[in-house]
Amino acid sequence: MSVPDAGRVGEWLRAARESRGLTVAEVALSLKLGPRQVEALEAEDWASLPGNTMIRGFVRNYARLLNLDPGALMQALDAEQLPQTVQLEVSAGTSVSLPQSTRRVERRDLLAILAGVVLLVLVVLAYFFVPADAWQWQLNKLIGGRMASVADERTALQPAPVEASAPKAAAGESVTVLVAPKATVLSEVSPTPLAGDGLKLGFVQPSWVEVRDGAGQILLSEVGSAGSQRLVEGQPPFSLVVGNATQVTVQYRGRAIDLAPYSKGDVARLTIE
């Protein structure tokens, strides 16, 4: 490799850097220098650099980074008028400005971590503060269609129900009455009010309900469809769990039962005697 002429050391360094597709910022990061120091080397602005010894060290490291012959560049520097006084205000340890792309990556990583922490906190809060009955009601609402299908299949496999005296219905309306185990009567009719002194449930919107008698036997457990009614008869007291309680009406022995005092969230739990 030929020796560069005096005054062309910086030109050689800049040409070699550009031929390798490197930016000033990338070179500065590799050499642990500031971008202005790299620019001063390429412009041969020796007065802006910290003295002869430091300049020679900078050039030698720069040459090695670019796979140039450091000895040839040192010979060219011998002919330069390099400053001998170290400028204390400029240090080889000058902080390096990171490329903007690196900062953007770090910012994205930080946002992803923060989002994960927020999500974890929300899950923990939901676990401790959302009533278990609310989760149960949501689950039953999602699988309500499947439950109805299974109930239909079970009904098809059971013996034919025994006919019993049914409450009178207005002309043109149909009433289906089945005698279930434990002498419980379940009735589904049109929106016309049901006759009888049992527990009457009306569903304004689809809602999940479970009714148990005084012995703890489940008398009714299903998702009632919008506009339907149920008449439940059995041994009181009745224990009720009602999901979507604001959309369900309850009557017992001719009096309406207000579910609001027994509700927590959308789920009401109460005992009726």
Side-chain angles (χ1 to χ4, degrees):
M1 174 180 179
S2 61
V3 179
D5 298 332
R8 297 187 59 191
V9 173
E11 181 181 341
W12 272 43
L13 293 175
R14 181 175 62 255
R17 172 181 62 78
E18 292 175 349
S19 67
R20 286 164 176 76
L22 298 174
T23 65
V24 170
E26 291 170 337
V27 170
L29 184 61
S30 298
L31 297 179
K32 297 182 174 57
L33 298 176
R36 286 182 295 179
Q37 290 176 307
V38 175
E39 291 172 351
L41 288 172
E42 294 183 353
E44 298 186 2
D45 183 10
W46 311 125
S48 298
L49 297 169
N52 182 16
T53 303
M54 299 297 292
I55 291 172
R56 294 176 69 86
F58 291 166
V59 172
R60 182 180 292 107
N61 291 336
Y62 200 167
R64 290 172 179 169
L65 176 66
L66 301 176
N67 295 322
L68 299 177
D69 181 9
L73 293 174
M74 292 301 101
Q75 294 180 30
L77 282 178
D78 291 339
E80 297 284 346
Q81 297 294 325
L82 301 180
Q84 300 299 320
T85 302
V86 177
Q87 300 177 6
L88 298 178
E89 66 273 20
V90 180
S91 169
T94 302
S95 60
V96 177
S97 299
L98 294 177
Q100 292 297 321
S101 59
T102 303
R103 293 181 179 178
R104 286 194 294 270
V105 171
E106 292 178 350
R107 188 177 296 111
R108 287 198 301 270
D109 292 343
L110 180 59
L111 290 176
I113 293 173
L114 290 177
V117 171
V118 171
L119 180 59
L120 178 61
V121 170
L122 291 176
V123 171
V124 172
L125 291 176
Y127 177 80
F128 284 103
F129 293 102
V130 176
D133 290 337
W135 295 114
Q136 181 66 32
W137 176 76
Q138 291 291 345
L139 178 60
N140 281 309
K141 183 177 179 180
L142 291 174
I143 64 176
R146 177 56 182 168
M147 291 173 61
S149 176
V150 172
D152 292 341
E153 293 174 1
R154 291 180 178 177
T155 301
L157 296 175
Q158 291 177 352
V162 180
E163 294 185 357
S165 58
K168 294 182 179 180
E173 296 175 344
S174 62
V175 179
T176 301
V177 181
L178 304 180
V179 178
K182 304 294 183 181
T184 301
V185 178
L186 306 181
S187 303
E188 181 175 1
V189 301
S190 63
T192 302
L194 295 170
D197 293 331
L199 188 64
K200 302 174 184 178
L201 305 173
F203 300 93
V204 180
Q205 296 294 333
S207 307
W208 176 80
V209 63
E210 179 182 282
V211 181
R212 295 176 182 264
D213 63 11
Q217 177 70 31
I218 296 178
L219 304 179
L220 177 66
S221 179
E222 67 176 27
V223 176
S225 58
S228 66
Q229 300 181 64
R230 298 290 188 275
L231 174 62
V232 181
E233 295 182 347
Q235 181 63 40
F238 299 107
S239 297
L240 282 74
V241 180
V242 183
N244 200 15
T246 58
Q247 303 299 318
V248 179
T249 60
V250 179
Q251 295 184 29
Y252 184 57
R253 292 181 178 176
R255 63 187 180 92
I257 307 297
D258 184 9
L259 298 181
Y262 309 99
S263 298
K264 185 176 182 181
D266 287 337
V267 179
R269 303 176 70 93
L270 67 156
T271 300
I272 301 176
E273 298 183 2

